[in-house]
Amino acid sequence: MLACCPQAWEVLKGLPIRFDPGRFRFWLEQDYPFVEALYRYQVGLLQEAPQAHRFPLVQILLATVEELDWLLAQGVDPKAPVHPVRQEYIALLQEMGTLPYPYRLVFLYFLNRFFLEAWSAHVPEEGPWEELSQHWMAPEFQAVLYDLEVLAQGQLPLLDRARLARYLERILEMEVKTWSLLL
Amino acid sequence: MLACCPQAWEVLKGLPIRFDPGRFRFWLEQDYPFVEALYRYQVGLLQEAPQAHRFPLVQILLATVEELDWLLAQGVDPKAPVHPVRQEYIALLQEMGTLPYPYRLVFLYFLNRFFLEAWSAHVPEEGPWEELSQHWMAPEFQAVLYDLEVLAQGQLPLLDRARLARYLERILEMEVKTWSLLL
């Protein structure tokens, strides 16, 4: 599934991020409007999801709501001005939200996967975000992601490969830009 | 909150239902399209819900998805022709789905409350539905309903009392008609 863009994938994981708590706090604050957009993307998916897809999708939505609560508990201002890079990523998400259901489902899987891989590669295990890391790495959430992966794989034959690859490239490009805010 | 219609409420709980497993099975099959409509109503609510409302609403959505799964596991045909009484209740739900958010949230609370009260009054504790009864009566789900009640109470000052009462009467009327399918 990642045949599209092995290089961007390596670039993302290999970004030489200098970890600075103050900078990371700004980054988390900038994460809020993006996660809010992801919430809306997921609710849009649920409007069309067949019954067999709903349980894992609702579980992921629950994790998204908990993530927003966690960000608020860290004191982020949900109304802080949104950085242009985050605005660009939100615009991509909104564009993807207009695509047919099978694309949107597959992209939700990749959004989660890319983010979690990058998080694992870049964020130290200890710190105030330890709680959030533990939440994502917990067996329960990993099981939900695995269910999502299975659903996504079931949709792949319905997708145009070139169109899929173009969006995956754009998502990866946005992940690289987003994480680069910490360089 | 029930000052609108104490009589209809008593009528609902006092319906002299003759409990017949075969008939109840038909009733459960007819429940499927209604719960499906309730799923859509809840997803519509999530589109507008502020962050502080989302956690309990997603928990209730999860319970709705589980209920659909449970109905399918009982062998109900999700494509069975829909009884006119259920069609009428679904139409009411769709009509309510176009109201402003505070009304929709309050009605979601009442839909759950009326249904659970009627279920407790009418359905024997033992039988194939024991599992479903236990699910609804479980402390976790009761806690979620309590959260929903608190949210609903917070919305009440925003509502026109006469309009609220008219819809509550119509919901109760539909509950009476629905349960009367078992008379």
Side-chain angles (χ1 to χ4, degrees):
Chain A
M1 282 168 104
L2 279 166
C4 70
C5 20
Q7 281 185 332
W9 183 237
E10 289 309 314
V11 167
L12 173 61
K13 293 209 285 185
L15 286 173
I17 287 172
R18 294 169 300 123
F19 196 80
D20 172 272
R23 191 86 193 130
F24 192 66
R25 205 189 136 69
F26 163 78
W27 189 91
L28 280 181
E29 183 154 276
Q30 286 296 318
D31 200 31
Y32 193 93
F34 177 74
V35 182
E36 174 69 26
L38 202 55
Y39 169 88
R40 294 183 180 283
Y41 181 89
Q42 291 172 340
V43 172
L45 260 180
L46 283 171
Q47 285 184 303
E48 288 183 53
Q51 175 62 14
H53 291 190
R54 290 172 182 170
F55 190 83
L57 289 177
V58 175
Q59 294 276 7
I60 285 173
L61 186 66
L62 200 59
T64 301
V65 169
E66 286 176 332
E67 192 179 335
L68 289 169
D69 275 341
W70 183 86
L71 289 168
L72 291 173
Q74 302 309 306
V76 308
D77 174 5
K79 305 214 183 286
V82 182
H83 189 285
V85 162
R86 287 292 189 177
Q87 285 178 14
E88 193 182 344
Y89 205 170
I90 290 168
L92 174 59
L93 209 51
Q94 288 168 343
E95 179 189 329
M96 294 194 308
T98 66
L99 296 173
Y101 177 81
Y103 286 91
R104 284 188 281 151
L105 182 73
V106 167
F107 294 146
L108 179 63
Y109 166 70
F110 279 107
L111 286 163
N112 275 280
R113 171 131 183 234
F114 291 163
F115 179 76
L116 287 178
E117 294 273 349
W119 179 278
S120 300
H122 298 309
V123 178
E125 283 181 15
E126 292 179 8
W129 35 81
E130 190 181 341
E131 187 187 324
L132 195 58
S133 296
Q134 284 174 353
H135 180 72
W136 282 331
M137 302 312 159
E140 292 158 341
F141 189 62
Q142 292 296 316
V144 168
L145 276 188
Y146 178 75
D147 288 344
L148 179 60
E149 183 172 356
V150 172
L151 296 185
Q153 279 171 340
Q155 302 295 307
L156 275 184
L158 305 172
L159 309 187
D160 175 84
R161 286 309 177 107
R163 192 179 193 191
L164 171 66
R166 277 197 305 278
Y167 274 103
L168 290 185
E169 264 178 67
R170 289 175 67 192
I171 296 171
L172 271 171
E173 183 195 355
M174 286 315 308
E175 284 291 329
V176 170
K177 280 191 190 179
T178 302
W179 287 95
S180 296
L181 295 176
L182 288 171
L183 284 178
Chain B
M1 283 167 104
L2 279 167
C4 70
C5 20
Q7 281 186 331
W9 183 236
E10 290 309 314
V11 168
L12 174 61
K13 293 208 286 184
L15 285 173
I17 287 172
R18 292 170 298 122
F19 196 80
D20 172 273
R23 191 86 192 129
F24 192 67
R25 205 190 137 68
F26 164 77
W27 189 90
L28 280 180
E29 183 156 273
Q30 286 296 318
D31 200 33
Y32 192 92
F34 177 74
V35 181
E36 174 68 27
L38 202 55
Y39 169 88
R40 295 184 180 283
Y41 181 90
Q42 291 172 340
V43 171
L45 262 179
L46 284 170
Q47 284 185 304
E48 288 184 53
Q51 174 63 15
H53 292 190
R54 290 172 183 169
F55 190 83
L57 289 177
V58 176
Q59 294 275 7
I60 285 174
L61 186 66
L62 200 59
T64 301
V65 169
E66 286 176 331
E67 191 179 335
L68 289 168
D69 275 341
W70 183 84
L71 289 168
L72 291 172
Q74 302 308 308
V76 308
D77 174 6
K79 304 217 184 286
V82 182
H83 189 283
V85 162
R86 288 292 190 178
Q87 285 179 13
E88 194 183 344
Y89 204 171
I90 291 169
L92 173 60
L93 209 51
Q94 288 168 342
E95 178 189 328
M96 294 194 308
T98 65
L99 297 173
Y101 177 81
Y103 286 91
R104 284 187 282 153
L105 183 71
V106 168
F107 294 146
L108 179 63
Y109 166 68
F110 278 108
L111 286 163
N112 275 280
R113 171 128 183 240
F114 292 163
F115 179 75
L116 287 179
E117 294 273 348
W119 179 278
S120 300
H122 298 309
V123 179
E125 282 181 15
E126 292 180 7
W129 34 82
E130 191 181 341
E131 189 187 324
L132 194 58
S133 296
Q134 284 175 354
H135 181 71
W136 283 331
M137 302 311 159
E140 292 159 340
F141 189 63
Q142 292 297 316
V144 167
L145 276 188
Y146 179 75
D147 288 344
L148 179 60
E149 183 172 357
V150 171
L151 296 185
Q153 279 171 341
Q155 302 295 307
L156 276 185
L158 306 172
L159 308 187
D160 176 84
R161 285 309 175 106
R163 193 180 192 189
L164 171 64
R166 277 197 305 276
Y167 275 103
L168 290 185
E169 264 177 68
R170 289 176 66 192
I171 296 171
L172 271 171
E173 184 195 353
M174 286 315 308
E175 284 291 330
V176 170
K177 281 192 191 179
T178 302
W179 286 95
S180 296
L181 294 176
L182 288 171
L183 285 178

